[in-house]
Amino acid sequence: MTAVVAAPPRRRATADSRVVRRRLGPGKRIPGAFWIGPVLVLALWSLGSATGLLKPAILSAPWDVAAAAREQWTDNDLPGNILASLQRSVAGLTLGVVTGAALAVVSGLSRIGESLIDGPIQIKRSIPTLALIPLFIAWFGIGEEMKVLTIALISLVPIYVHTHNGLRSIDGKYAELAETIGIGRGEFVRHVVLPGALPGFLLGMRFAVTSSLLGLVVVEQYNATAGVGHMITLAEQYGQTDVIVVGLVIYGVFGYCADSAVRLTGRKVLAWRRTLED
């Protein structure tokens, strides 16, 4: 009687593949890796200031920046400036993300949509949004509407480009399989196409967050009565280097925390993927 050889359990194969990924990949996660880079930069900054390599006229020392931040907090409404900047950034980023994602879906899932949308977006990519600010001022004035729309337009492009690329990069074998088992177009888009485009969308979100802060820095220098950029503009007029650095640190914290939040969200949402990150 012929002996039957049992197939190795699936769990063993999965475990072996994970071992290979860890051996050839970037390695195990480092505890507290989120803080290592920023702490190292702060340490080098402090060392340079303490040893005199960084002159106060070039870059204020961390302790001077901390003192300036405390003074701005108590005497010059730093919380109000931070809140005003956050409101502008969130409003513009939300408008840009929603619009960019909607245009990417229409363009990515329809040849007609692509012919109408993709060309103008690609033309817009070659025109810096900040160069359009004089036109926006002529059209919308120098109020909040101009600022929010500028941030939205800056954020829209990376969302559109990466989401559209994610939609068009899905393996055609999935469509063949869907047709074989009789899945309709709506169900295919909902369960295959959109989840498949999610990595591209999240990558676009990381670029959009950074772009929105770039736009925020610029638009807050146009007739703003509140905001971190307004604070930096006043500090520039009075030669307050430490206050300028306070504003730059706030922008850096905004961007780093927002980018980390997007990365963490992507890690949770895309837990079904097996990548070198795991």
Side-chain angles (χ1 to χ4, degrees):
M1 183 174 182
T2 304
V4 178
V5 180
R10 180 182 294 271
R11 183 176 302 175
R12 175 69 177 276
T14 303
D16 291 343
S17 65
R18 290 186 179 181
V19 170
V20 171
R21 279 200 302 270
R22 288 175 180 172
R23 178 168 58 84
L24 301 179
K28 294 183 179 180
R29 295 186 185 278
I30 301 175
F34 179 86
W35 301 105
I36 293 177
V39 169
L40 179 60
V41 171
L42 180 60
L44 293 175
W45 180 13
S46 301
L47 180 63
S49 298
T51 58
L53 293 176
L54 291 176
K55 304 298 182 183
I58 299 175
L59 182 63
S60 300
W63 41 89
D64 293 332
V65 173
R70 184 166 56 251
E71 180 182 354
Q72 290 292 318
W73 187 279
T74 56
D75 300 337
N76 294 289
D77 194 25
L78 180 58
N81 287 327
I82 293 176
L83 181 60
S85 293
L86 281 176
Q87 289 175 338
R88 291 188 187 108
S89 181
V90 170
L93 182 62
T94 301
L95 180 59
V97 168
V98 172
T99 306
L103 292 176
V105 170
V106 173
S107 177
L109 299 181
S110 168
R111 293 295 182 184
I112 296 177
E114 182 179 34
S115 64
L116 295 175
I117 296 172
D118 193 64
I121 294 293
Q122 300 305 326
I123 293 174
K124 166 60 195 69
R125 288 183 62 193
S126 63
I127 302 175
T129 302
L130 300 182
L132 298 176
I133 288 181
L135 274 179
F136 286 176
I137 293 177
W139 293 343
F140 307 110
I142 53 178
E144 289 298 309
E145 186 178 12
M146 180 274 293
K147 297 176 176 61
V148 171
L149 289 176
T150 301
I151 296 171
L153 190 57
I154 291 178
S155 307
L156 181 151
V157 174
I159 289 292
Y160 172 87
V161 170
H162 291 285
T163 304
H164 183 274
N165 181 67
L167 288 167
R168 289 299 174 88
S169 300
I170 296 174
D171 197 328
K173 294 180 180 178
Y174 291 114
E176 296 174 4
L177 178 61
E179 292 177 358
T180 301
I181 62 179
I183 293 180
R185 180 175 178 82
E187 194 173 359
F188 174 70
V189 169
R190 187 168 61 254
H191 294 294
V192 178
V193 175
L194 295 183
L198 195 55
F201 170 79
L202 291 172
L203 179 60
M205 274 294 297
R206 296 184 63 183
F207 284 101
V209 167
T210 305
S211 301
S212 69
L213 290 176
L214 173 63
L216 182 66
V217 172
V218 176
V219 299
E220 286 192 330
Q221 298 180 20
Y222 286 88
N223 196 45
T225 57
V228 177
H230 171 67
M231 181 186 73
I232 291 177
T233 302
L234 291 179
E236 181 185 7
Q237 295 174 358
Y238 292 103
Q240 298 173 307
T241 307
D242 50 355
V243 178
I244 294 175
V245 178
V246 170
L248 296 178
V249 169
I250 292 173
Y251 281 133
V253 171
F254 281 177
Y256 189 61
C257 291
D259 181 74
S260 299
V262 174
R263 293 175 63 183
L264 180 60
T265 301
R267 193 178 301 160
K268 299 295 183 182
V269 173
L270 303 176
W272 50 270
R273 296 198 312 167
R274 311 309 306 173
T275 65
L276 289 178
E277 179 74 9
D278 301 313

